[in-house]
């Protein structure tokens, strides 16, 4: 029996109708110095083009889940499949290749302060060995999309928090990723800037990118009907598809309290 | 693609050098000091080798003739010695010339004054250059000269030559040890400087890997800084050597010219200098390689 089917019959995985981009089978993660497991028996299937919000309190395992997906950590148990590849079986040299197919956005932006906006975004293409003229064309195009065309040659540190996050999103999108992973992308921003960031993520989603956002920002949870996966204590406690009602306050409260 | 990656690597490498700060400066200065010491010793060794070669080539075997041999007899003995294999040239010295040489050798020769010594005629024999390198051939020639009729005694400073040879070998050994020691020091210093660079650029490296940089992309700029440190240190060391040599060459040259004729304090030949620069680069690569290997071994960021 295929792992996906087996997991489905255990009731842990929502079926993927349009072909899975991400599949987690009974994934557990224990940090060497952790008091309790960061993830426990997590089963998840995310289809191509989905917009998934990972919700849950601090320490619920949202960031750990994302770290597994961009190969910063390895699962202690179970399997993580990304774009059809079992991440546990990746050779060291293949990790870089997988990362080039995904974009990652962090709460603290992770920009290089001494580089300009252009160079920060160009870095994602430089590591792929793209031609200079191709890099210039694509970087300018994506900076225009995120509304930073006029700040191309400014140092990243000269920008506001919202602008820095838009640079980080531009860096993630410039490689035209199949999957965009966002870890608390609006955590450091006020409501207005958070809305701008959310709109950029929605634009990427509309173009077909699979977007996964880990957040406890109520605005992100409330904005529109999208799939919400609630984690608590490292477990999935709620997984509702996009067409379903958003998780109830009780579910969220229980998750937070777990 | 190679051109694109190379330009990125050079760009990031130059940025690493710009942000290298004190560790980079320290590494270059330490490398320069080490390579200066090595090349300074090399220069001394090179000149000592030239000097010892010149000395051994000019050292003659001296055949003291019987006291009853006169000038004509001395010329006959000279002609017979000249026919011996391994002899380059012979010259006859009169008893008066021998006395002058003996006085000079005894620093004034006060002991010879008024002693009424009768000095013999002497034939000075310069062996062929090839004989200088072989103690056995030298000894055989001395025996052959001693066997010529009219020769009373043969003196040859083979012991001194052997001592010079031994000293030269000792210097080669010390030079080799010094070279290995300095190479290790340069490797450790460069390795630590690159390690500090890695720590300073930890976040940048993590971000590079996050966006899909390969190990080679991360390592290449660091290797480039290692090469730059090694070559920079070598060039700085050679500059210091040049300054030291130009300051000392005239003084040493004057000192040598009094005793050794046309000998001068020569600089190292260009091919050795080029080798030092290349060697500096290689040591830089090894040092940087150690740190990069440790960085990559630590695994995923």
């Amino acid at each position: 029996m295929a792992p996906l089917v087996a997991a489905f019959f255990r009731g842990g995985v929502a079926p993927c109708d349009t072909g899975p981009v991400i599949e987690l089978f009974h994934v557990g993660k224990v940090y060497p110095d952790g008091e309790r497991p960061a993830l426990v028996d997590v089963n998840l299937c995310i289809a191509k083009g989905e917009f998934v919000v990972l919700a849950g309190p601090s320490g619920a395992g949202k960031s750990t889940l994302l770290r597994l997906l961009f190969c910063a950590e390895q699962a202690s148990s179970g399997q993580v499949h990304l774009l059809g590849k079992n991440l546990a079986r990746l050779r060291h040299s293949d990790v870089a290749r997988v990362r080039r197919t995904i974009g990652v956005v962090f709460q603290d932006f992770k920009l290089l302060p001494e580089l300009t906006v252009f160079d920060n975004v160009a870095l994602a293409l430089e590591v792929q060995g793209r031609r200079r003229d191709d890099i210039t064309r694509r970087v300018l195009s994506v900076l225009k999309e995120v509304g930073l065309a006029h700040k191309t040659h400014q140092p990243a540190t000269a920008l506001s928090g919202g602008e820095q996050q838009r640079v980080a999103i531009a860096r993630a999108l410039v490689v035209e990723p199949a999957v965009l992973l966002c870890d608390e992308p609006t955590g450091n921003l006020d409501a207005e800037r958070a809305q701008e960031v959310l709109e950029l993520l929605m634009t990427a989603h509309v173009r077909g990118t699979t977007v996964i956002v880990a957040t406890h920002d109520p605005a992100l949870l409330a904005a529109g009907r999208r799939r919400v996966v609630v984690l608590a204590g490292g477990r999935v406690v709620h997984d509702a598809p996009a067409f379903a009602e958003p998780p109830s306050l009780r579910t969220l409260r229980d998750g937070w309290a777990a | 693609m190679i051109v694109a990656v190379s330009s990125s690597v050079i760009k990031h490498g130059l940025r690493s050098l710009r942000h290298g700060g004190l560790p980079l400066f320290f590494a270059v200065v330490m490398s320069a000091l080490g390579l200066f010491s090595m090349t300074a010793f090399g220069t001394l060794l090179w000149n000592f080798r030239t000097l010892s070669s010149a000395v051994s080539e000019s050292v003659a075997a001296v055949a003291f003739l019987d006291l009853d041999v006169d000038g004509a007899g001395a010329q006959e003995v000279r002609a017979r010695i000249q026919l011996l294999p391994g002899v380059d040239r012979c010259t006859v010295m009169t008893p008066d010339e021998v006395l002058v040489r003996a006085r000079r050798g005894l620093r004034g020769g006060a002991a010879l004054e008024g002693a009424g010594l009768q000095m013999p005629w002497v034939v000075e024999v310069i062996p062929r250059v090839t004989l200088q390198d072989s103690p056995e051939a030298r000894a055989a020639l001395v025996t052959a000269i001693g066997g010529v009729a009219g020769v009373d005694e043969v003196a040859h400073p083979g012991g001194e030559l052997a001592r010079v040879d031994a000293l030269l070998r000792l210097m080669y050994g010390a030079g080799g040890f010094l070279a290995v020691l300095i190479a290790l020091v340069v490797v450790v210093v460069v390795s630590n400087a690159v390690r500090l660079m890695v720590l300073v650029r930890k976040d940048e490296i993590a971000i590079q890997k996050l966006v899909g940089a390969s190990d080679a992309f991360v390592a290449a700029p660091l290797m480039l800084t290692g090469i730059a440190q090694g070559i920079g240190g070598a060039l700085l060391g050679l500059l210091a050597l040049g300054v030291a040599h130009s300051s000392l060459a005239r003084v040493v040259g004057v000192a040598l010219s009094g005793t050794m004729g046309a000998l001068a304090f020569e600089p190292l030949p260009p091919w050795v200098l080029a080798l030092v620069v290349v060697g500096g680069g290689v040591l830089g690569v090894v040092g940087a390689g150690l740190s990069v290997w440790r960085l990559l071994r630590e695994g995923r960021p």
Side-chain angles (χ1 to χ4, degrees):
Chain A
M1 188 182 288
L4 176 60
V5 178
F8 175 64
F9 278 108
R10 284 193 200 97
V13 177
C16 292
D17 297 333
T18 55
V21 171
I22 293 165
E23 293 169 290
L24 278 75
F25 306 114
H26 305 289
V27 170
K29 175 67 185 174
V30 181
Y31 288 106
D33 50 352
E35 288 180 8
R36 59 189 179 83
L39 291 175
V40 182
D41 196 30
V42 172
N43 293 289
L44 203 58
C45 178
I46 297 173
K48 188 173 183 294
E50 268 195 288
F51 191 119
V52 179
V53 177
L54 290 177
S58 297
K62 306 185 297 290
S63 296
T64 299
L65 185 53
L66 293 187
R67 288 178 67 78
L68 293 182
L69 292 176
F70 66 81
C71 310
E73 302 284 351
Q74 280 192 309
S76 307
S77 59
Q79 288 186 11
V80 180
H81 289 210
L82 176 74
L83 301 167
K85 291 190 174 74
N86 182 349
L87 298 187
R89 290 195 183 164
L90 283 184
R91 284 178 302 172
H92 186 77
S93 56
D94 290 332
V95 171
R97 234 166 271 140
V98 167
R99 284 179 177 162
R100 290 173 194 176
T101 62
I102 57 180
V104 191
V105 178
F106 293 92
Q107 181 177 1
D108 60 352
F109 323 131
K110 298 217 184 295
L111 300 177
L112 295 175
E114 71 271 25
L115 295 190
T116 63
V117 168
F118 180 94
D119 286 337
N120 264 291
V121 178
L123 182 67
L125 295 171
E126 282 175 1
V127 301
Q128 297 186 9
R130 298 290 181 95
R131 287 161 52 93
R132 201 67 216 168
D133 52 351
D134 184 33
I135 291 175
T136 305
R137 185 179 54 76
R138 293 174 69 157
V139 171
L140 291 178
S141 166
V142 78
L143 283 176
K144 193 176 169 188
E145 280 178 32
V146 300
L148 290 173
H150 59 296
K151 301 212 168 176
T152 304
H153 298 296
Q154 286 198 16
T157 45
L159 305 182
S160 68
E163 287 171 330
Q164 287 192 44
Q165 192 60 296
R166 279 192 275 159
V167 176
I169 292 172
R171 185 183 61 194
L173 293 178
V174 76
V175 296
E176 295 172 359
V179 179
L180 182 61
L181 306 174
C182 308
D183 193 0
E184 304 283 3
T186 58
N188 279 347
L189 307 178
D190 59 36
E192 198 178 335
R193 302 286 91 79
Q195 187 57 37
E196 288 173 6
V197 166
L198 182 60
E199 281 169 16
L200 287 173
L201 300 181
M202 291 299 296
T203 307
H205 173 233
V206 167
R207 288 183 181 171
T209 306
T210 306
V211 181
I212 300 159
V213 183
T215 186
H216 52 247
D217 183 350
L220 265 174
L221 287 168
R225 285 195 173 181
R226 56 184 61 87
R227 182 174 172 192
V228 177
V229 176
V230 181
L231 287 167
R235 294 173 191 275
V236 174
V237 295
H238 175 91
D239 184 358
F243 51 82
E245 285 292 319
S248 66
L249 279 175
R250 184 181 174 82
T251 307
L252 289 173
R253 200 168 48 240
D254 290 348
W256 257 248
Chain B
M1 182 172 171
I2 291 171
V3 174
V5 171
S6 304
S7 68
S8 295
V9 163
I10 290 168
K11 193 176 84 175
H12 290 287
L14 289 176
R15 208 171 69 246
S16 297
L17 284 175
R18 274 204 306 276
H19 293 91
L22 207 57
L24 178 73
F25 175 75
F26 180 73
V28 170
V29 169
M30 286 297 289
S31 304
L33 273 174
L35 293 169
F36 167 75
S37 312
M38 195 194 286
T39 47
F41 188 85
T43 306
L44 286 177
L45 188 57
W46 182 267
N47 280 279
F48 186 75
R49 185 171 157 270
T50 309
L51 186 65
S52 67
S53 177
V55 167
S56 67
E57 279 173 21
S58 61
V59 166
V62 179
F64 293 94
L65 307 189
D66 294 329
L67 284 173
D68 56 353
V69 175
D70 57 9
Q75 289 298 341
E76 281 180 31
V77 173
R78 187 199 72 80
R80 281 199 290 275
I81 291 174
Q82 183 69 66
L83 293 174
L84 292 174
V87 173
D88 184 38
R89 60 186 189 276
C90 304
T91 39
V92 173
M93 293 175 71
T94 66
D96 291 339
E97 289 170 335
V98 173
L99 190 61
V100 169
R101 179 79 68 88
R103 279 181 179 150
R104 203 166 62 207
L106 291 170
R107 300 182 189 279
L112 299 175
E113 291 300 329
L117 286 174
Q118 186 191 354
M119 301 306 285
W121 285 75
V122 160
V123 177
E124 202 174 53
V125 183
I126 306 293
R128 288 192 207 287
V129 176
T130 50
L131 291 176
Q132 305 303 322
D133 301 325
S134 165
E136 294 78 20
R138 252 189 333 245
L141 180 64
V142 168
T143 308
I145 294 170
V148 173
V151 173
D152 179 34
E153 190 184 343
V154 182
H156 186 270
E160 277 72 16
L161 286 179
R163 273 191 282 278
V164 169
D165 280 348
L167 184 61
L168 198 58
R169 278 195 209 99
L170 187 72
M171 287 178 77
Y172 275 129
F177 178 73
L178 188 71
V180 170
L181 198 68
I182 287 172
L184 281 175
V185 168
V186 171
V187 165
V188 169
V189 166
V190 171
S191 175
N192 283 332
V194 172
R195 181 82 181 146
L196 285 172
M197 270 183 197
V198 167
L199 288 176
V200 168
R201 295 184 51 216
K202 192 178 63 178
D203 290 343
E204 182 182 342
I205 290 170
I207 291 170
Q208 284 180 344
K209 298 199 95 172
L210 192 71
V211 296
S214 62
D215 285 350
F217 188 91
V218 172
L222 296 169
M223 298 298 284
L224 207 62
T225 59
I227 295 173
Q229 286 173 59
I231 291 181
L235 290 175
L236 203 61
L238 292 182
L239 185 71
L241 181 73
V243 171
H245 182 266
S246 60
S247 310
L248 289 174
R250 202 168 52 84
V251 180
V252 178
V254 169
L256 283 176
S257 66
T259 53
M260 301 305 298
L263 279 179
F265 190 56
E266 295 289 339
L268 288 170
W271 68 267
V272 176
L273 302 182
L275 205 64
V276 170
V277 176
V278 173
V282 170
L283 293 177
V285 168
V286 174
L290 282 175
S291 283
V292 168
W293 177 70
R294 281 164 65 185
L295 165 74
L296 299 178
R297 200 186 51 170
E298 283 164 7
R300 303 169 181 186

